[in-house]
Amino acid sequence: MGQRHSHVGDGSDIADDELTIDEAVRRLEVDPVADVARAAFDHAGELAALQHGHVPAVLGAVRLATRRSRRPTVDREELAAAFDVDPDDVVAAESELSRRLGSPASESEIAALRRRLIVARELLAAAESGGVAGPDLPGSYLADAAPDLLARGGTSELDEASLRAHVERLEADLECARLGTELAALVADE
């Protein structure tokens, strides 16, 4: 029984058990998701690899990372062409990883956090530029996102340090919502 090889885009052969997250993200040109993919694979990749193969598990971790980030999800056909792998195996491995890592927040929760973050950033920008009042948002869809922040923006009490800290907390909350709490904790520990 010979060792199966996966053909990678530049013609090199990489044995199934040699493909790394770093190599996969580089070849797929999704380097910004390397930490997320690595955390997912390190946590649940061994079981996914046992069930679906090493290469599908690595690529499933990369696909999961792109899906939970703000990047477009790596396409099944792109994986098949670049790595000579059955895309159904990659999707099955991704599903196994996802099941073990838990789900991200709902789209509505993520959208609400994103709107709240926009308001906080606008208020911080106003405070940093010396403006007393925050952005002119009343009546917009953003006005409902953070009425407490807008109330603060209407006073002269815009504290840049507090707003900056609040923006950082909201950014972390949004990242956690996108990744899911388990995966976000794993990425933070890395």
Side-chain angles (χ1 to χ4, degrees), residues 68 70 109-110 112-122 124-125 128 149 162-180 184 187:
R68 292 192 184 184
R70 295 196 299 179
E109 291 174 86
I110 291 170
L113 274 168
R114 191 177 307 117
R115 286 190 301 269
R116 190 165 175 76
L117 179 58
I118 290 168
V119 172
R121 284 179 176 157
E122 290 293 323
L124 178 58
E128 289 173 341
L149 289 174
S162 294
L163 281 171
R164 194 171 294 109
H166 190 67
V167 165
E168 290 171 6
R169 279 190 305 274
L170 286 171
E171 287 170 343
D173 289 349
L174 181 57
E175 183 72 3
C176 184
R178 282 188 184 123
L179 296 178
V187 170

Side-chain angles (χ1 to χ4, degrees), residues 20-69:
T20 66
I21 294 291
D22 291 331
E23 178 70 12
V25 298
R26 185 182 64 76
R27 299 228 180 246
L28 293 168
E29 298 177 356
V30 292
D31 296 69
V33 302
D35 290 343
V36 175
R38 194 175 303 106
F41 185 80
D42 289 350
H43 181 73
E46 189 174 323
L47 183 59
L50 286 172
Q51 294 176 351
H52 307 287
H54 180 80
V55 170
V58 168
L59 297 176
V62 172
R63 194 162 190 269
L64 176 104
T66 60
R67 181 182 307 283
R68 292 192 184 184
S69 71

Side-chain angles (χ1 to χ4, degrees), residues 66-190:
T66 60
R67 181 182 307 283
R68 292 192 184 184
S69 71
R70 295 196 299 179
R71 301 190 57 83
T73 301
V74 176
D75 185 67
R76 296 166 41 105
E77 286 69 33
E78 182 181 357
L79 293 171
F83 292 92
D84 190 27
V85 65
D86 183 345
D88 291 337
D89 289 341
V90 175
V91 170
E94 178 189 358
S95 294
E96 179 63 31
L97 290 163
S98 186
R99 189 174 67 74
R100 297 204 166 273
L101 290 166
S103 299
S106 70
E107 286 300 317
S108 63
E109 291 174 86
I110 291 170
L113 274 168
R114 191 177 307 117
R115 286 190 301 269
R116 190 165 175 76
L117 179 58
I118 290 168
V119 172
R121 284 179 176 157
E122 290 293 323
L123 288 172
L124 178 58
E128 289 173 341
S129 69
V132 176
D136 184 21
L137 296 173
S140 77
Y141 76 98
L142 293 173
D144 293 334
D148 56 321
L149 289 174
L150 288 177
R152 285 172 55 189
T155 70
S156 57
E157 301 291 323
L158 284 178
D159 174 20
E160 286 181 47
S162 294
L163 281 171
R164 194 171 294 109
H166 190 67
V167 165
E168 290 171 6
R169 279 190 305 274
L170 286 171
E171 287 170 343
D173 289 349
L174 181 57
E175 183 72 3
C176 184
R178 282 188 184 123
L179 296 178
T181 53
E182 176 111 15
L183 185 52
L186 293 167
V187 170
D189 287 344
E190 218 173 71

